Amino acid sequence: MDRIKQYLRPSDALALVWWALSFRYERFVFEAGSAAQHPLARFAVKLLLLATLVLLLRFLVTALRTWRTDGAEAGTLKAALPLFAALLVLWVYGKFWPLQPSDQSSILEASMRYETMGGFFFYLTMVLPMLGLSLFPHPAAAVVFKIFVISLGAGWCVYRLRRLYASRLAYLLYLPFLLPPGLYLSVSIHRIPSYAVLYLVFTVKLLCDRAEEKPLSRPGYVLLCLTAAALTQWRSEGIYLVVLAPILFWLAYRPQLDRKRKALALAVFLAAQLAVQLPQTLVSEIDSGRRSLPLFEALITGMERKGLDKEKNAEDLAAVDRYIDLEALHRLNEELGDYNYNENLIIYVGLRPDAAPEDVAGFREAMVRIVLHNPLVYLRNQIDCWVHISEQTYHDRKLDELANIFQRLYLPTLWLLVVWVWTLVKRDWLGWFVTSGHLCHFVITTLLLPTAYFKYYYSEYLYAFLTATAALCLLRRRLRAKKAAALAAE
């Protein structure tokens, strides 16, 4: 009993009461009968809710008790609250609520039914809004909780940078969250903003722990493995982390392990990958072929416009025509040109209503051959899609003029290349591999671009801001040291 008590906190009692009440008030936000239809999802969410309440209340109590100190909890909360308050004000006065019909509203509606959209989105996409709805029974709680979570993640990163460099310039890391188009993602419940912040936290922990020569505990290693697994699988672009993450762990902490412990560490890493993937396997009702359709539909639209040789690919185009009306596709390209990059418009005007399942399968197979046989046309289409992200302009919202400036990806991309070369020259192997990972993410994202959405590059955008902020902090520290040395010499 005494041993159990040493692991419990007074706040745990409040967490348990709150958790018990959630079984009563969930009927005000989750649709009637949804819990019975999806008992596994509800069970998992309730377990996560209990863990979230316990950890969150412990964090808040510790932060308040140590507010005058420089502890991690207090420092994180101090750095997170200004960003959270600013985002909340912008969310309220920017009229981002209620959600209009979109993929965001689809995610929210699925979350209110304990659904995971049959595997169309990775299940983690729905977990955050489900937790928000479980914490407070109102649809807006799904968004507010997500804003709080990303503010907490960004606040922790600011705290780590301030601790490392002793500079208030660390607060520059707020900018990508407050300036459009990043602001639009901060107040969204889509997966990519949460994914990008998780990647930012993952990156900052590795870089700062290495700079501070901070050791890694066993629970910390397990948590890092689970984070790496989430980043690997939440978005398909993260697949490279299966290989890269163990290298990053070794470079960040340089553990002295014998052969047996190396095997155990690898086993834990692979077990974490399996643990994160298993729930998706249980809930997914969509095969990889169906998931690839939007990409292939967008590809044939763009490649037809970018010079695909129709005679050379006549046989494959005949297979495409049984699923997509090529005449309708040509008219669409003639009328709208590169505007087609903004959305997968061909599905509204060109899909043949009488296409059989074998025609759909034939279309996918034909598109694979078209891409393999026409790599230059494919690459031109994908690069032009990336350029379109930077060149397109919006005027629908008051802040769109700012969005049109800051969504340009040329400068962040150039900066990451500079960081990549600089870390290579300096033989900063952890920094080089971390940057290589983000560039790899950039390349895979570009190769798989279905539409010209800025949000696909938000992970790299945040990393560019992180490295630029760290560079400014480091420069200021060196200037201070130089000035102090000059004064001492006098």
Side-chain angles (χ1 to χ4, degrees):
M1 183 62 70
D2 291 337
R3 193 169 185 180
I4 293 176
K5 286 182 178 179
Q6 75 180 46
Y7 292 107
L8 297 178
R9 305 286 187 276
S11 60
D12 295 346
L14 177 58
L16 192 59
V17 171
W18 194 338
W19 182 70
L21 288 174
S22 73
F23 287 86
R24 300 291 298 172
Y25 64 61
E26 69 174 357
R27 67 182 186 276
F28 297 118
V29 66
F30 287 97
E31 291 189 11
S34 60
Q37 293 175 4
H38 305 283
L40 182 60
R42 184 182 184 239
F43 176 75
V45 169
K46 288 299 183 184
L47 281 182
L48 287 172
L49 175 63
L50 180 58
T52 300
L53 286 168
V54 169
L55 294 175
L56 182 59
L57 290 175
R58 285 185 179 187
F59 167 80
L60 292 175
V61 169
T62 304
L64 293 175
R65 282 180 175 174
T66 59
W67 191 257
R68 296 182 181 277
T69 70
D70 198 29
E73 291 84 358
T76 299
L77 190 60
K78 288 177 184 178
L81 285 179
L83 179 60
F84 177 63
L87 288 175
L88 209 56
V89 169
L90 290 168
W91 174 69
V92 171
Y93 289 99
K95 298 181 180 179
F96 294 105
W97 182 265
L99 297 176
Q100 301 302 311
S102 63
D103 55 352
Q104 284 195 72
S105 59
S106 298
I107 291 170
L108 178 59
E109 290 164 6
S111 301
M112 295 169 71
R113 296 191 296 267
Y114 283 114
E115 289 184 358
T116 55
M117 301 184 75
F120 184 80
F121 287 124
F122 197 77
Y123 71 92
L124 289 175
T125 302
M126 265 63 70
V127 165
L128 270 181
M130 284 183 188
L131 284 175
L133 297 172
S134 299
L135 283 167
F136 188 80
H138 189 281
V143 183
V144 174
F145 178 65
K146 180 261 180 179
I147 294 174
F148 177 74
V149 169
I150 68 166
S151 298
L152 210 58
W156 182 82
C157 294
V158 169
Y159 161 74
R160 290 301 301 267
L161 289 180
R162 283 204 66 186
R163 191 172 78 179
L164 182 62
Y165 296 110
S167 173
R168 292 182 179 179
L169 288 175
Y171 287 104
L172 290 174
L173 199 56
Y174 282 171
L175 292 180
F177 299 96
L178 296 172
L179 293 174
L183 169 63
Y184 301 156
L185 297 175
S186 296
V187 296
S188 157
I189 63 170
H190 205 279
R191 60 177 176 158
I192 291 178
S194 303
Y195 179 95
V197 174
L198 182 64
Y199 205 162
L200 180 70
V201 169
F202 179 76
T203 300
V204 168
K205 178 168 178 58
L206 293 175
L207 294 176
C208 289
D209 280 3
R210 180 58 181 165
E212 296 176 351
E213 298 184 351
K214 188 175 180 180
L216 182 64
S217 65
R218 290 179 181 177
Y221 175 68
V222 172
L223 185 59
L224 270 180
C225 288
L226 289 171
T227 303
L231 293 172
T232 302
Q233 300 176 52
W234 198 349
R235 288 182 63 191
S236 55
E237 292 88 339
I239 188 64
Y240 61 92
L241 284 166
V242 171
V243 175
L244 183 62
I247 298 174
L248 297 179
F249 297 162
W250 186 82
L251 289 171
Y253 300 102
R254 299 296 176 95
Q256 301 299 315
L257 303 177
D258 55 26
R259 185 175 299 179
K260 183 178 179 180
R261 290 183 177 180
K262 287 179 182 178
L264 179 60
L266 182 59
V268 171
F269 177 78
L270 295 176
Q273 292 284 343
L274 181 62
V276 170
Q277 175 60 32
L278 186 58
Q280 180 68 12
T281 304
L282 295 175
V283 302
S284 181
E285 299 171 0
I286 298 178
D287 59 44
S288 57
R290 286 174 63 194
R291 286 184 60 86
S292 67
L293 275 179
L295 172 62
F296 287 146
E297 291 158 356
L299 276 179
I300 190 58
T301 305
M303 291 178 70
E304 196 266 358
R305 191 171 65 254
K306 298 301 175 181
L308 183 66
D309 190 323
K310 294 180 175 58
E311 293 184 5
K312 174 185 172 183
N313 300 278
E315 184 177 346
D316 288 327
L317 287 174
V320 170
D321 192 54
R322 287 192 286 272
Y323 174 66
I324 293 178
D325 185 341
L326 290 180
E327 290 186 7
L329 185 148
H330 182 71
R331 287 195 301 270
L332 186 67
N333 277 327
E334 286 289 313
E335 293 172 8
L336 299 179
D338 282 354
Y339 182 84
N340 282 291
Y341 282 136
N342 293 339
E343 198 63 60
N344 190 16
L345 298 176
I346 191 60
I347 65 174
Y348 303 109
V349 298
L351 297 189
R352 294 195 181 277
D354 56 346
E358 54 268 25
D359 296 327
V360 179
F363 164 73
R364 293 197 301 263
E365 294 168 1
M367 282 307 305
V368 172
R369 293 192 294 269
I370 286 173
V371 170
L372 293 177
H373 296 160
N374 304 272
L376 295 181
V377 179
Y378 163 69
L379 289 175
R380 180 189 174 191
N381 177 68
Q382 297 305 96
I383 292 172
D384 283 356
C385 187
W386 177 81
V387 169
H388 190 74
I389 295 172
S390 294
E391 297 297 332
Q392 63 184 321
T393 56
Y394 300 99
H395 306 283
D396 299 331
R397 292 178 277 204
K398 292 181 180 179
L399 295 172
D400 276 345
E401 296 306 321
L402 283 174
N404 293 335
I405 296 172
F406 289 101
Q407 76 179 3
R408 296 182 180 274
L409 293 170
Y410 304 128
L411 185 57
T413 303
L414 179 61
W415 171 254
L416 289 186
L417 290 173
V418 169
V419 172
W420 187 75
V421 173
W422 179 257
T423 52
L424 180 63
V425 170
K426 291 294 184 179
R427 296 190 177 185
D428 175 7
W429 298 119
L430 177 61
W432 186 79
F433 273 102
V434 168
T435 306
S436 297
H438 280 278
L439 289 175
C440 186
H441 201 100
F442 171 93
V443 171
I444 296 174
T445 299
T446 304
L447 292 176
L448 299 178
L449 271 179
T451 44
Y453 290 161
F454 166 84
K455 63 186 178 182
Y456 293 142
Y457 295 95
Y458 196 43
S459 300
E460 292 71 62
Y461 191 74
L462 289 183
Y463 182 64
F465 264 92
L466 169 67
T467 48
T469 300
L472 288 173
C473 290
L474 181 60
L475 179 61
R476 186 172 183 180
R477 186 173 71 179
R478 288 180 175 176
L479 289 175
R480 281 179 174 177
K482 187 176 181 180
K483 184 178 180 180
L487 291 173
E490 293 177 0

